[in-house]
Amino acid sequence: MVLDTALDDTTTPTERIRREAATAEEAFDRFTAWCSASTDCALHGKDTAAEYDALVTRADRTPIPTADGSRALTGEDIRAATQDYLTLSGVTWPALAQAVVKAQAGDASDFTYEPDDTLDPVQVQVPACLDTARPVAGFDQLTRLRNDLARISPHLGGAVRSWTALTGCLGWPVPAHPVTAGTPVHGAPPALIVQSTHQALAPHSAGLAMAAQLPGSVVLSREGDDYSMFLLSQCVRDATNRYLTTRALPAPGTTCTD
């Protein structure tokens, strides 16, 4: 197996949400730093974080319509759509800045779809509700967790995929049957796990946690902010092709910098 951006399922569900929220917030901070430095950012020359926060506040007060008039987006809608805009710095970062500018002008359409269209929402929700323990049973618990996430993630407010999955499981009539995680898998060949040093979906440490469950596996790090690293890095492509054809893994600790 070649795993591009592993997730860490060895922690509790609430701790996983906290870590993902912190990781997405760091990615947002790196996006705003890029906007300050790059003229390719539609918000260049402005305080990008302040512009984003003001847009979210405005949308929470008065939802912003989409071009076709089918719906109007709240600030929470905008936050929930932001994480996936942070996964490909060369493509989706410019698109996020343009989406903010467009929404400021009164059209929030660009926040109504996910830049990554490879996952069906039902495909994501079902295992989240059936394979994972449900740490929240009511509104009071949910509010306390959300307040915690707001401290961890002041711009995005913790509106990450794990939060969407958790809230989507509230009220499910079918009980969860959690899958035991964290124990080594025996009999499987070593895997190649490719993990960015900075990424909006999972911290770098998640790759190491996954490798520990697959004995002999190696984490190939890539310096950067991106998901789908096979598409972006010749170093990652070379290591992946070598592994898939010869099963030879890179040396532990190897980092791609291209």
Side-chain angles (χ1 to χ4, degrees), residues 200-214:
L201 297 175
H204 183 262
S205 61
L208 301 174
M210 177 65 78
Q213 297 178 70
L214 300 169

Side-chain angles (χ1 to χ4, degrees), residues 13-18 21 135-136 138-152 157-158 162-163 166-167:
T14 51
E15 180 60 22
R16 187 155 60 247
I17 294 173
R18 291 187 182 99
V136 172
F139 187 74
D140 289 344
Q141 286 181 305
L142 192 70
T143 300
R144 287 195 294 271
L145 177 58
R146 189 53 185 270
N147 290 340
D148 188 23
L149 294 178
R151 289 189 293 270
I152 295 169
S162 294
W163 169 261
L166 180 149
T167 54

Side-chain angles (χ1 to χ4, degrees), residues 76-226:
E76 180 70 4
D77 292 327
I78 291 171
R79 280 174 157 170
T82 298
Q83 184 184 22
D84 276 352
Y85 269 114
L86 298 169
T87 57
L88 287 169
S89 58
V91 178
T92 56
W93 284 12
L96 173 57
Q98 291 166 0
V100 170
V101 171
K102 187 174 177 179
Q104 288 174 328
D107 179 3
S109 299
D110 288 354
F111 288 105
T112 60
Y113 65 93
E114 294 185 3
D116 180 359
D117 61 359
T118 61
L119 293 176
D120 181 276
V122 176
Q123 176 191 2
V124 175
Q125 193 67 49
V126 170
C129 296
L130 297 184
D131 296 346
T132 305
R134 299 175 194 168
V136 172
F139 187 74
D140 289 344
Q141 286 181 305
L142 192 70
T143 300
R144 287 195 294 271
L145 177 58
R146 189 53 185 270
N147 290 340
D148 188 23
L149 294 178
R151 289 189 293 270
I152 295 169
S153 176
H155 297 295
L156 301 185
V160 293
R161 285 187 174 188
S162 294
W163 169 261
T164 301
L166 180 149
T167 54
C169 295
L170 292 174
W172 268 53
V174 180
H177 297 281
V179 175
T180 301
T183 55
V185 176
H186 298 289
L192 173 63
I193 300 166
V194 186
Q195 200 86 359
S196 283
T197 53
H198 306 283
Q199 222 279 340
L201 297 175
H204 183 262
S205 61
L208 301 174
M210 177 65 78
Q213 297 178 70
L214 300 169
S217 298
V218 166
V219 176
L220 174 64
S221 302
R222 177 177 180 260
E223 184 65 40
D225 303 87
D226 303 311

